[in-house]
Amino acid sequence: MSHAATMEPAGQNPGLTFGAEHAHDHDHAGKALSGFWLFMMSDLIIFGLFFATYGTMLVPMSFAGGPTPKELFEIPGAAMETAALLTSTLTFGFASLAVKYNFAKGKVLGWLAITLALGMVFLGLEISEFARMFAEGAVPQRSGFLSSFFGLVPLHGAHVTAGSIWLIMMMVQIARGGITDSVRSRLARLALFWHFLDIIWIGIFSVVYLGGLA
Amino acid sequence: MNLTQPFWPAVLGRLDLDSLDFLKVFFHPTLNDVILSGAAWAVLVGGVLGVAVLSYFKLWGPMWRNYLVSVDHKRIGIMYIVLALIMLARGVVEGVVMRTQQADGLGGGFLSANHYAQLFSTHGTIMIFFMAMPFLTGLINIVVPLQIGARDVSFPMLNSVSLGLTVSGAALIMISLVLGEFSTGGWTAYPPYTEMSFQPGVGPDYWIWSLILAGVGSTLTGINFVVTIFKERAPGMTLMRMPMFTWTALCASILLIFALPPLTVAALMLAADRYLDFHFFTNALGGNMMNFANLVWLFGHPEVYILILPAFGVYSEIVATYSGKRLYGYGSLVVATMSIAILSFTVWLHHFFTMGQDANVNAAFGIATMLIGIPTGVKVYDWMATMYRGRVRMTVPMIYLSSFMVLFVLGGLSGIILANPSIDFQVHNTLFLVAHFHNMLIPGLLFGMLAGYTYWFPKVFGFRLNDRWGYISAYSWIVGFVLVFFPLYVVGLMGMTRRTVSYVDPAYQPWMLMSGVGAIFVTVALAALVVQLYVSIRERNYTRDIGGDPWDARTLEWATPSPLPAYNFAVIPHVHAREAFAVAKEAGRGYQEPTGYADIHLPGDTYMGVIMAVFGTAFGFGMIWYMWWLAVVSFAVMAVAFIVRALRGDRAAITIPAAQVEAEHKAWLAQVRTVTPVTRERELEHANHGVAAPETKEVAA
Ligand code: HEM
Ligand SMILES: [Cu+2]
């Protein structure tokens, strides 16, 4: 930043100078990544508030005589969802490495496809979990507690859905144009997003499922 | 869609003949309904008139090309401020109608309780979200890239999207005047009163969707400006050389990123309750409205600092410029700004001291609240010290500044009173509180924005605003404000509750009449702003700002031509000092020839903003009126537009060749040399064409 100030003797340049524009750095990827970090911070607050709301609803008043966490949640289903999502983060990591070390685009596409498939498995498991709850009468309209559950967990699911759509777009882009700079930059952001959702899910698994059964 | 449903309800949702407000007057010609329909007609006629004027002067093309699809941060800023001024007019008129009602309100008045409730709800919502926010966002848009020596923001397309979303929120509120009614739940929309069981109509849904749309837009703005300020600064523009306005813009943007989510969450949860029968905040089945109160104020308190910090930034700029002196205590101002931004997240509970937590919690939040007074006090002293022995000129912005310093401190003192929970128990929910926050918002935010508008106007449009009408407006605002709101402190202490259409205690009446007289001055102030704009445009040839520096100002934005070329700086400046332009001018190097020129790359126009504005409005409208097809289609259009734009990238980017830049810049420099520099004595005269003559040292010291 301060190279200009040091290049020229300071006394001669009070305030301002107008040098010819050397390669003024246009760091698009860096900017986009910074912006994306900020977006995720704000998204994290949204999740945090849904978590907090959920926390306040774990009281008899909010169960309203309806089902309680102990009656509703089962570890095996949630554990399988966790496994699928955690593995998908690993496979996305392989995709990122494949990009980093300039592997053929087929390899990248392969890892991304596996990631997508695992994402789909996760969503499928989650939907069947919800279906089971609905069948037991545990619908969001039943109690404040269930409202907050169905606020928090499907919000994460919606994020995974959006991430999957983005993943498909990336795969189309790679298949058509190869690993361009724009692909690298976007994939870095998507990776961040995907891992972020993983961390949120760990929170959900710990607070909602493990915490609910503790 | 269910095919057994009748056709029209499926298309029109719950919109029917009774929703058409402009017909109400023909069914019930009472004064209340005349005003209700009158407002609807005002929107309709205003809209038609606007279309007619644009068509008559053949302005559709230029408006579309130069503004609606533009990603130029200055153009976007102008559009934000135009929106803010339109909404200011509506908000002020509503305030004046409410004051008139209460002047006449002993035992009745002319408005129904429901109508009064809609008025304070729209007035509050509009003033905060569609006047204050667009105004400060507009100023930030125009000024920040210039102050840091940048060509544009980091994400120009997103900037246009933010504007589009804000406009769609404002459009929904305007539509609520014509179709259906607005919420009667105040600007904070507390449930359970805003739940289906109490307000099954469209009112709270208007509130929900206009705020969600505008809120997303503001979050994106916050992200955009944090990245811009961190990544786009010119060489040598270190953080501690940034002008104060940029610092406050940075803090406000950070607050936008972290404070808007709670509002979005609260509104989404309320929507889930209303649309899907959830129980986040209902009375029945385990809802908990305290969660809403916490969420809304977790947003709401930082929000008041989002509103006030940029105004502090404006004051810091103008006080240095119009005192002809370096800003006093720069470092302390930076620290104070940051402290306020952080403390603003620790006090939200003072908005509901009376809602059930124990005394120790209240005490902790009361003390935290009082702490904010410290950095704010530091700022006031810094501004005063800047003026001390300066070359002070009492221009219109300085009138706003000096009244602000007196009135804002008074408002702050009433805030310290309210921060004491035991006192708050007595006066909460009275007009004392209304007096307090208007005392912060009008001299603080509104005067700051109007001062900034007057200050930077020549930079943007190339001619100065008429100062005679500026003074008339400023003095009317000041007198009007004092007359309207100081009596409210009194009646508040007497126990008159806020949000109440009428009263039975005759002791209130004299104060209400005084307040009503104040409303006349406020109306004059607003009218004077309109006249000022008209007169200034008519006389623009006499007040041309050719040199670009009409106020002998100190920061980078004044080292450019007025109006600005799209690329802002012919050559990106290298900065060697704080208040770099003032330092350069002092050394006699104000207008230098660059050593060379280069091609300039600028982002291309985009339809995204227009798409967001149109389909955002349509989406909200569909949700509000249960026209599900419209909501789905509009949402899909917005999503697809985003994806397509992401895949295609910016295909319209433009390059301005170095030769053209050089020719334009040299022409400007040559023109500057023909202008006679003026001293500060003649600052407001026609002779001032934007080149400042150096002040003699004794005066400027
Ligand atoms: C310019 C002249 C103004 C007038 C005459 C005015 C008048 C009023 C009145 C009469 C009320 C309702 C009081 C009650 O009965 O509870 C009110 C409420 C309010 N005003 Fe203003 N106001 C003005 C400017 C502003 C400005 C500039 C802002 C913000 C930037 C603002 C924000 C609010 C808010 C947030 C409320 C609370 C609404 C609610 O109760 O939910 N006002 N104003
Ligand atoms: Cu507060």
Side-chain angles (χ1 to χ4, degrees):
Chain A
M1 268 284 148
S2 60
H3 70 280
T6 48
M7 255 165 39
E8 296 132 335
Q12 252 179 298
N13 303 296
L16 287 174
T17 46
F18 296 90
E21 197 167 351
H22 338 283
H24 193 65
D25 189 18
H26 286 294
D27 175 17
H28 287 302
K31 284 175 212 164
L33 200 61
S34 311
F36 200 72
W37 270 107
L38 291 172
F39 159 73
M40 285 200 314
M41 285 186 202
S42 130
D43 210 21
L44 184 64
I45 292 179
I46 291 188
F47 275 113
L49 294 169
F50 271 95
F51 268 112
T53 306
Y54 181 80
T56 66
M57 293 285 194
L58 294 172
V59 291
M61 181 194 94
S62 293
F63 296 145
T68 62
K70 274 209 168 53
E71 295 159 24
L72 275 178
F73 301 143
E74 293 163 0
I75 287 294
M80 265 156 53
E81 289 171 52
T82 311
L85 208 59
L86 287 187
T87 317
S88 81
T89 257
L90 180 72
T91 56
F92 204 132
F94 286 135
S96 299
L97 286 175
V99 170
K100 179 173 177 190
Y101 292 107
N102 298 320
F103 284 8
K105 78 175 184 189
K107 282 242 166 71
V108 178
L109 281 176
W111 284 119
L112 289 181
I114 298 175
T115 308
L116 181 63
L118 286 165
M120 292 295 140
V121 169
F122 170 83
L123 285 174
L125 287 170
E126 182 159 74
I127 288 168
S128 66
E129 175 87 11
F130 292 162
R132 180 184 63 77
M133 288 176 71
F134 271 56
E136 292 172 14
V139 291
Q141 292 79 8
R142 177 63 190 82
S143 70
F145 156 67
L146 282 164
S147 294
S148 66
F149 172 87
F150 282 103
L152 172 62
V153 183
L155 181 70
H156 175 269
H159 276 71
V160 175
T161 311
S164 304
I165 294 173
W166 189 359
L167 202 52
I168 294 170
M169 279 168 54
M170 289 309 303
M171 290 169 67
V172 172
Q173 207 187 352
I174 295 174
R176 285 169 54 180
I179 315 279
T180 58
D181 278 351
S182 116
V183 164
R184 283 171 194 276
S185 151
R186 280 194 188 144
L187 214 55
R189 274 173 276 154
L190 177 54
L192 213 54
F193 187 61
W194 200 264
H195 302 319
F196 164 75
L197 293 180
D198 217 17
I199 295 172
I200 299 290
W201 178 258
I202 291 172
I204 290 178
F205 185 62
S206 316
V207 172
V208 176
Y209 291 97
L210 293 180
L213 293 170
Chain B
M1 212 172 289
N2 190 345
L3 286 178
T4 57
Q5 258 181 355
F7 178 69
W8 284 114
V11 175
L12 289 179
R14 46 179 168 166
L15 189 66
D16 57 21
L17 223 58
D18 286 340
S19 333
L20 306 179
D21 292 330
F22 46 93
L23 296 182
K24 293 227 162 82
V25 63
F26 304 113
F27 300 133
H28 320 269
T30 61
L31 186 51
N32 182 64
D33 288 52
V34 169
I35 295 175
L36 205 74
S37 290
W41 280 108
V43 174
L44 291 176
V45 172
V48 171
L49 223 61
V51 170
V53 167
L54 287 174
S55 310
Y56 182 78
F57 291 103
K58 301 206 168 44
L59 290 175
W60 284 106
M63 186 173 84
W64 175 265
R65 281 190 305 277
N66 296 339
Y67 285 93
L68 299 184
V69 298
S70 172
V71 293
D72 183 333
H73 66 96
K74 301 169 292 289
R75 301 281 163 91
I76 289 181
I78 292 170
M79 287 187 275
Y80 268 116
I81 293 178
V82 169
L83 174 69
L85 290 175
I86 293 172
M87 298 314 270
L88 173 70
R90 174 168 168 199
V92 167
V93 169
E94 285 175 333
V96 168
V97 171
M98 284 189 283
R99 292 275 39 104
T100 316
Q101 153 64 25
Q102 290 205 326
D104 182 38
L106 182 62
F110 53 92
L111 291 184
S112 71
N114 178 285
H115 192 174
Y116 188 80
Q118 282 189 54
L119 278 172
F120 67 67
S121 305
T122 42
H123 165 82
T125 309
I126 283 178
M127 283 298 200
I128 302 287
F129 295 100
F130 300 106
M131 188 285 282
M133 295 284 271
F135 215 141
L136 67 93
T137 310
L139 281 186
I140 290 177
N141 255 291
I142 292 172
V143 176
V144 165
L146 296 172
Q147 286 197 331
I148 61 175
R151 298 215 189 281
D152 208 326
V153 296
S154 286
F155 311 115
M157 184 275 282
L158 216 56
N159 207 9
S160 175
V161 167
S162 293
L163 172 65
L165 290 172
T166 309
V167 167
S168 68
L172 287 177
I173 295 222
M174 291 315 268
I175 292 173
S176 81
L177 272 184
V178 182
L179 299 174
E181 76 279 321
F182 197 74
S183 168
T184 50
W187 80 281
T188 47
Y190 275 9
Y193 179 59
T194 45
E195 294 279 5
M196 278 311 227
S197 40
F198 295 95
Q199 290 192 63
V202 291
D205 300 323
Y206 270 117
W207 183 89
I208 289 172
W209 295 108
S210 56
L211 260 58
I212 288 181
L213 288 164
V216 173
S218 298
T219 312
L220 296 177
T221 298
I223 294 174
N224 211 338
F225 278 90
V226 172
V227 177
T228 301
I229 294 174
F230 280 134
K231 296 276 188 184
E232 308 285 347
R233 278 170 291 134
M237 177 60 80
T238 57
L239 286 176
M240 288 307 277
R241 281 182 187 162
M242 293 194 317
M244 262 326 285
F245 181 77
T246 300
W247 265 109
T248 57
L250 174 63
C251 290
S253 305
I254 294 174
L255 290 182
L256 283 175
I257 298 172
F258 293 107
L260 256 306
L263 177 70
T264 310
V265 167
L268 282 174
M269 287 178 172
L270 187 59
D273 278 6
R274 290 182 58 86
Y275 284 79
L276 301 170
D277 199 17
F278 277 42
H279 294 284
F280 281 111
F281 313 122
T282 54
N283 285 341
L285 290 175
N288 185 350
M289 87 68 65
M290 278 315 293
N291 282 339
F292 187 91
N294 276 291
L295 287 170
V296 132
W297 289 111
L298 213 46
F299 149 77
H301 195 86
E303 165 72 10
V304 306
Y305 286 96
I306 293 170
L307 301 183
I308 205 67
L309 286 179
F312 285 173
V314 174
Y315 288 131
S316 305
E317 299 295 328
I318 63 177
V319 76
T321 294
Y322 291 116
S323 302
K325 252 181 83 191
R326 227 175 72 141
L327 182 62
Y328 181 88
Y330 175 89
S332 66
L333 282 169
V334 171
V335 174
T337 306
M338 284 304 232
S339 318
I340 291 175
I342 291 166
L343 284 174
S344 74
F345 281 102
T346 66
V347 300
W348 78 92
L349 200 132
H350 64 208
H351 293 276
F352 45 92
F353 279 144
T354 57
M355 280 164 76
Q357 50 289 333
D358 72 46
N360 291 332
V361 174
N362 277 354
F365 279 87
I367 293 167
T369 303
M370 295 183 197
L371 285 180
I372 296 194
I374 299 171
T376 314
V378 168
K379 291 188 162 218
V380 176
Y381 282 112
D382 280 335
W383 293 318
M384 290 198 295
T386 307
M387 288 173 74
Y388 179 63
R389 291 191 149 187
R391 172 77 173 88
V392 177
R393 288 97 69 196
M394 275 304 183
T395 51
V396 173
M398 285 300 270
I399 300 294
Y400 282 123
L401 170 85
S402 27
S403 66
F404 152 80
M405 288 205 288
V406 176
L407 295 172
F408 193 78
V409 169
L410 286 177
L413 289 177
S414 68
I416 298 278
I417 294 173
L418 286 166
N420 183 329
S422 39
I423 298 179
D424 184 70
F425 264 72
Q426 300 305 313
V427 289
H428 94 102
N429 214 29
T430 66
L431 286 175
F432 188 88
L433 176 77
V434 174
H436 159 68
F437 67 68
H438 282 89
N439 201 341
M440 307 314 273
L441 287 169
I442 293 178
L445 167 107
L446 184 62
F447 288 7
M449 293 300 111
L450 293 175
Y453 161 77
T454 317
Y455 180 59
W456 280 298
F457 190 92
K459 179 55 38 202
V460 177
F461 292 104
F463 57 94
R464 285 175 285 129
L465 279 173
N466 179 287
D467 42 83
R468 197 156 150 257
W469 285 99
Y471 284 120
I472 293 176
S473 182
Y475 286 123
S476 307
W477 279 118
I478 295 165
V479 173
F481 160 73
V482 170
L483 282 177
V484 169
F485 290 102
F486 281 18
L488 300 195
Y489 279 123
V490 181
V491 287
L493 288 174
M494 290 159 79
M496 183 170 176
T497 49
R498 70 188 285 204
R499 296 179 176 168
T500 311
V501 60
S502 62
Y503 46 93
V504 289
D505 186 345
Y508 300 155
Q509 199 185 26
W511 303 103
M512 289 290 102
L513 288 175
M514 192 197 275
S515 188
V517 172
I520 299 173
F521 282 87
V522 169
T523 317
V524 171
L526 181 71
L529 276 185
V530 178
V531 176
Q532 182 196 34
L533 192 60
Y534 171 74
V535 172
S536 310
I537 295 176
R538 206 185 51 195
E539 296 178 353
R540 63 189 178 283
N541 283 331
Y542 301 105
T543 59
R544 288 270 180 225
D545 171 25
I546 295 165
D549 179 27
W551 318 122
D552 195 10
R554 315 181 67 79
T555 42
L556 221 49
E557 73 269 32
W558 302 100
T560 56
S562 303
L564 291 136
Y567 46 80
N568 296 349
F569 298 92
V571 168
I572 295 290
H574 292 198
V575 179
H576 309 290
R578 195 180 289 160
E579 300 189 355
F581 187 47
V583 175
K585 279 191 293 186
E586 216 161 291
R589 310 178 82 244
Y591 300 89
Q592 310 157 51
E593 291 269 357
T595 51
Y597 296 84
D599 291 355
I600 292 175
H601 307 281
L602 289 178
D605 294 343
T606 178
Y607 296 129
M608 289 298 288
V610 179
I611 292 175
M612 292 298 135
V614 172
F615 290 95
T617 309
F619 166 73
F621 193 79
M623 293 303 287
I624 291 163
W625 289 98
Y626 295 176
M627 301 177 188
W628 308 123
W629 62 271
L630 183 62
V632 170
V633 169
S634 313
F635 191 81
V637 171
M638 290 195 283
V640 169
F642 248 111
I643 294 176
V644 170
R645 164 71 201 215
L647 288 177
R648 286 167 50 110
D650 182 0
R651 298 203 167 178
I654 42 180
T655 300
I656 303 174
Q660 186 189 337
V661 178
E662 176 165 6
E664 287 177 11
H665 193 62
K666 288 206 162 130
W668 175 62
L669 284 176
Q671 214 188 353
V672 166
R673 277 183 215 110
T674 64
V675 173
T676 326
V678 292
T679 58
R680 292 309 97 200
E681 231 104 299
R682 312 186 59 196
E683 189 166 42
L684 298 181
E685 296 172 15
H686 286 166
N688 182 358
H689 290 298
V691 181
E695 294 281 299
T696 49
K697 269 279 180 275
E698 308 85 82
V699 187

mmCIF file of all heavy atoms in Angstrom, chain A residues 41-63:
data_model
loop_
_atom_site.group_PDB
_atom_site.id
_atom_site.type_symbol
_atom_site.label_atom_id
_atom_site.label_comp_id
_atom_site.label_asym_id
_atom_site.label_seq_id
_atom_site.Cartn_x
_atom_site.Cartn_y
_atom_site.Cartn_z
ATOM 1 N N MET A 41 -20.769 -14.684 7.663
ATOM 2 C CA MET A 41 -20.886 -14.220 9.050
ATOM 3 C C MET A 41 -22.317 -13.825 9.341
ATOM 4 O O MET A 41 -22.870 -14.136 10.403
ATOM 5 C CB MET A 41 -19.980 -13.011 9.268
ATOM 6 C CG MET A 41 -18.516 -13.359 9.360
ATOM 7 S SD MET A 41 -17.627 -11.859 9.784
ATOM 8 C CE MET A 41 -16.020 -12.277 9.204
ATOM 9 N N SER A 42 -22.912 -13.126 8.378
ATOM 10 C CA SER A 42 -24.275 -12.685 8.633
ATOM 11 C C SER A 42 -25.220 -13.890 8.624
ATOM 12 O O SER A 42 -26.161 -13.961 9.430
ATOM 13 C CB SER A 42 -24.598 -11.575 7.641
ATOM 14 O OG SER A 42 -25.747 -11.758 6.998
ATOM 15 N N ASP A 43 -24.940 -14.855 7.773
ATOM 16 C CA ASP A 43 -25.733 -16.087 7.763
ATOM 17 C C ASP A 43 -25.569 -16.849 9.083
ATOM 18 O O ASP A 43 -26.521 -17.416 9.620
ATOM 19 C CB ASP A 43 -25.261 -16.960 6.595
ATOM 20 C CG ASP A 43 -26.387 -17.819 6.046
ATOM 21 O OD1 ASP A 43 -27.554 -17.465 6.289
ATOM 22 O OD2 ASP A 43 -26.090 -18.838 5.409
ATOM 23 N N LEU A 44 -24.357 -16.821 9.595
ATOM 24 C CA LEU A 44 -24.089 -17.507 10.857
ATOM 25 C C LEU A 44 -24.938 -16.902 11.977
ATOM 26 O O LEU A 44 -25.434 -17.613 12.860
ATOM 27 C CB LEU A 44 -22.604 -17.375 11.201
ATOM 28 C CG LEU A 44 -22.126 -18.114 12.445
ATOM 29 C CD1 LEU A 44 -22.285 -19.611 12.248
ATOM 30 C CD2 LEU A 44 -20.667 -17.794 12.734
ATOM 31 N N ILE A 45 -25.119 -15.591 11.924
ATOM 32 C CA ILE A 45 -25.945 -14.958 12.949
ATOM 33 C C ILE A 45 -27.390 -15.434 12.813
ATOM 34 O O ILE A 45 -28.067 -15.698 13.811
ATOM 35 C CB ILE A 45 -25.830 -13.434 12.848
ATOM 36 C CG1 ILE A 45 -24.418 -13.051 13.261
ATOM 37 C CG2 ILE A 45 -26.855 -12.748 13.721
ATOM 38 C CD1 ILE A 45 -24.124 -11.616 13.212
ATOM 39 N N ILE A 46 -27.843 -15.579 11.579
ATOM 40 C CA ILE A 46 -29.208 -16.085 11.389
ATOM 41 C C ILE A 46 -29.336 -17.460 12.038
ATOM 42 O O ILE A 46 -30.267 -17.724 12.813
ATOM 43 C CB ILE A 46 -29.540 -16.143 9.883
ATOM 44 C CG1 ILE A 46 -29.642 -14.716 9.362
ATOM 45 C CG2 ILE A 46 -30.815 -16.934 9.643
ATOM 46 C CD1 ILE A 46 -30.150 -14.588 7.968
ATOM 47 N N PHE A 47 -28.374 -18.336 11.772
ATOM 48 C CA PHE A 47 -28.433 -19.662 12.397
ATOM 49 C C PHE A 47 -28.351 -19.544 13.918
ATOM 50 O O PHE A 47 -29.083 -20.209 14.646
ATOM 51 C CB PHE A 47 -27.300 -20.553 11.882
ATOM 52 C CG PHE A 47 -27.639 -21.253 10.603
ATOM 53 C CD1 PHE A 47 -26.985 -20.943 9.429
ATOM 54 C CD2 PHE A 47 -28.634 -22.228 10.579
ATOM 55 C CE1 PHE A 47 -27.307 -21.582 8.246
ATOM 56 C CE2 PHE A 47 -28.962 -22.877 9.396
ATOM 57 C CZ PHE A 47 -28.296 -22.549 8.236
ATOM 58 N N GLY A 48 -27.454 -18.684 14.391
ATOM 59 C CA GLY A 48 -27.298 -18.522 15.830
ATOM 60 C C GLY A 48 -28.609 -18.129 16.491
ATOM 61 O O GLY A 48 -28.970 -18.646 17.556
ATOM 62 N N LEU A 49 -29.352 -17.252 15.818
ATOM 63 C CA LEU A 49 -30.612 -16.799 16.410
ATOM 64 C C LEU A 49 -31.656 -17.913 16.387
ATOM 65 O O LEU A 49 -32.458 -18.042 17.318
ATOM 66 C CB LEU A 49 -31.116 -15.565 15.667
ATOM 67 C CG LEU A 49 -30.208 -14.341 15.823
ATOM 68 C CD1 LEU A 49 -30.603 -13.242 14.851
ATOM 69 C CD2 LEU A 49 -30.259 -13.823 17.252
ATOM 70 N N PHE A 50 -31.640 -18.722 15.324
ATOM 71 C CA PHE A 50 -32.571 -19.861 15.311
ATOM 72 C C PHE A 50 -32.193 -20.870 16.405
ATOM 73 O O PHE A 50 -33.064 -21.450 17.043
ATOM 74 C CB PHE A 50 -32.598 -20.523 13.930
ATOM 75 C CG PHE A 50 -33.622 -19.909 13.012
ATOM 76 C CD1 PHE A 50 -33.266 -18.917 12.116
ATOM 77 C CD2 PHE A 50 -34.948 -20.322 13.054
ATOM 78 C CE1 PHE A 50 -34.205 -18.343 11.277
ATOM 79 C CE2 PHE A 50 -35.895 -19.756 12.216
ATOM 80 C CZ PHE A 50 -35.523 -18.759 11.326
ATOM 81 N N PHE A 51 -30.895 -21.052 16.605
ATOM 82 C CA PHE A 51 -30.454 -21.921 17.700
ATOM 83 C C PHE A 51 -30.950 -21.373 19.039
ATOM 84 O O PHE A 51 -31.480 -22.099 19.875
ATOM 85 C CB PHE A 51 -28.920 -21.998 17.746
ATOM 86 C CG PHE A 51 -28.340 -23.139 16.943
ATOM 87 C CD1 PHE A 51 -27.600 -22.890 15.802
ATOM 88 C CD2 PHE A 51 -28.522 -24.455 17.353
ATOM 89 C CE1 PHE A 51 -27.062 -23.940 15.061
ATOM 90 C CE2 PHE A 51 -27.983 -25.499 16.626
ATOM 91 C CZ PHE A 51 -27.254 -25.233 15.472
ATOM 92 N N ALA A 52 -30.741 -20.068 19.238
ATOM 93 C CA ALA A 52 -31.131 -19.466 20.510
ATOM 94 C C ALA A 52 -32.637 -19.607 20.728
ATOM 95 O O ALA A 52 -33.088 -19.958 21.825
ATOM 96 C CB ALA A 52 -30.719 -17.996 20.540
ATOM 97 N N THR A 53 -33.399 -19.354 19.684
ATOM 98 C CA THR A 53 -34.850 -19.498 19.804
ATOM 99 C C THR A 53 -35.198 -20.930 20.184
ATOM 100 O O THR A 53 -36.017 -21.175 21.080
ATOM 101 C CB THR A 53 -35.522 -19.133 18.466
ATOM 102 O OG1 THR A 53 -35.084 -17.833 18.087
ATOM 103 C CG2 THR A 53 -37.028 -19.146 18.594
ATOM 104 N N TYR A 54 -34.544 -21.862 19.508
ATOM 105 C CA TYR A 54 -34.786 -23.269 19.823
ATOM 106 C C TYR A 54 -34.481 -23.526 21.292
ATOM 107 O O TYR A 54 -35.253 -24.192 21.994
ATOM 108 C CB TYR A 54 -33.924 -24.146 18.921
ATOM 109 C CG TYR A 54 -34.124 -25.631 19.141
ATOM 110 C CD1 TYR A 54 -35.215 -26.284 18.577
ATOM 111 C CD2 TYR A 54 -33.232 -26.366 19.915
ATOM 112 C CE1 TYR A 54 -35.421 -27.632 18.784
ATOM 113 C CE2 TYR A 54 -33.420 -27.713 20.127
ATOM 114 C CZ TYR A 54 -34.517 -28.350 19.553
ATOM 115 O OH TYR A 54 -34.709 -29.680 19.770
ATOM 116 N N GLY A 55 -33.357 -22.971 21.765
ATOM 117 C CA GLY A 55 -32.981 -23.168 23.159
ATOM 118 C C GLY A 55 -34.054 -22.696 24.129
ATOM 119 O O GLY A 55 -34.330 -23.347 25.133
ATOM 120 N N THR A 56 -34.678 -21.551 23.796
ATOM 121 C CA THR A 56 -35.708 -21.044 24.717
ATOM 122 C C THR A 56 -36.981 -21.865 24.665
ATOM 123 O O THR A 56 -37.845 -21.701 25.519
ATOM 124 C CB THR A 56 -36.093 -19.588 24.383
ATOM 125 O OG1 THR A 56 -36.725 -19.578 23.101
ATOM 126 C CG2 THR A 56 -34.891 -18.675 24.379
ATOM 127 N N MET A 57 -37.098 -22.715 23.652
ATOM 128 C CA MET A 57 -38.351 -23.454 23.486
ATOM 129 C C MET A 57 -38.273 -24.853 24.106
ATOM 130 O O MET A 57 -39.182 -25.660 23.936
ATOM 131 C CB MET A 57 -38.687 -23.574 21.990
ATOM 132 C CG MET A 57 -39.013 -22.253 21.337
ATOM 133 S SD MET A 57 -40.655 -21.686 21.790
ATOM 134 C CE MET A 57 -40.928 -20.396 20.583
ATOM 135 N N LEU A 58 -37.178 -25.146 24.790
ATOM 136 C CA LEU A 58 -37.047 -26.484 25.394
ATOM 137 C C LEU A 58 -37.599 -26.475 26.811
ATOM 138 O O LEU A 58 -36.958 -26.948 27.745
ATOM 139 C CB LEU A 58 -35.575 -26.899 25.400
ATOM 140 C CG LEU A 58 -34.966 -27.127 24.019
ATOM 141 C CD1 LEU A 58 -33.461 -27.345 24.114
ATOM 142 C CD2 LEU A 58 -35.623 -28.313 23.340
ATOM 143 N N VAL A 59 -38.775 -25.927 26.959
ATOM 144 C CA VAL A 59 -39.391 -25.848 28.280
ATOM 145 C C VAL A 59 -40.820 -26.353 28.173
ATOM 146 O O VAL A 59 -41.417 -26.298 27.094
ATOM 147 C CB VAL A 59 -39.395 -24.396 28.807
ATOM 148 C CG1 VAL A 59 -37.995 -23.939 29.131
ATOM 149 C CG2 VAL A 59 -40.049 -23.484 27.800
ATOM 150 N N PRO A 60 -41.362 -26.861 29.277
ATOM 151 C CA PRO A 60 -42.706 -27.453 29.213
ATOM 152 C C PRO A 60 -43.737 -26.521 28.599
ATOM 153 O O PRO A 60 -44.586 -26.961 27.820
ATOM 154 C CB PRO A 60 -43.018 -27.735 30.685
ATOM 155 C CG PRO A 60 -41.692 -27.920 31.332
ATOM 156 C CD PRO A 60 -40.748 -27.024 30.600
ATOM 157 N N MET A 61 -43.649 -25.225 28.913
ATOM 158 C CA MET A 61 -44.644 -24.320 28.330
ATOM 159 C C MET A 61 -44.651 -24.427 26.805
ATOM 160 O O MET A 61 -45.700 -24.446 26.173
ATOM 161 C CB MET A 61 -44.330 -22.879 28.729
ATOM 162 C CG MET A 61 -45.342 -21.886 28.185
ATOM 163 S SD MET A 61 -44.769 -20.176 28.296
ATOM 164 C CE MET A 61 -44.032 -19.916 26.703
ATOM 165 N N SER A 62 -43.452 -24.524 26.227
ATOM 166 C CA SER A 62 -43.391 -24.534 24.771
ATOM 167 C C SER A 62 -43.641 -25.916 24.172
ATOM 168 O O SER A 62 -43.929 -26.041 22.991
ATOM 169 C CB SER A 62 -42.039 -24.000 24.306
ATOM 170 O OG SER A 62 -41.941 -22.640 24.627
ATOM 171 N N PHE A 63 -43.515 -26.968 24.983
ATOM 172 C CA PHE A 63 -43.932 -28.278 24.466
ATOM 173 C C PHE A 63 -45.450 -28.302 24.323
ATOM 174 O O PHE A 63 -45.985 -29.031 23.505
ATOM 175 C CB PHE A 63 -43.483 -29.400 25.412
ATOM 176 C CG PHE A 63 -41.979 -29.516 25.527
ATOM 177 C CD1 PHE A 63 -41.389 -29.886 26.729
ATOM 178 C CD2 PHE A 63 -41.169 -29.266 24.439
ATOM 179 C CE1 PHE A 63 -40.013 -30.009 26.847
ATOM 180 C CE2 PHE A 63 -39.784 -29.382 24.547
ATOM 181 C CZ PHE A 63 -39.203 -29.745 25.755
#
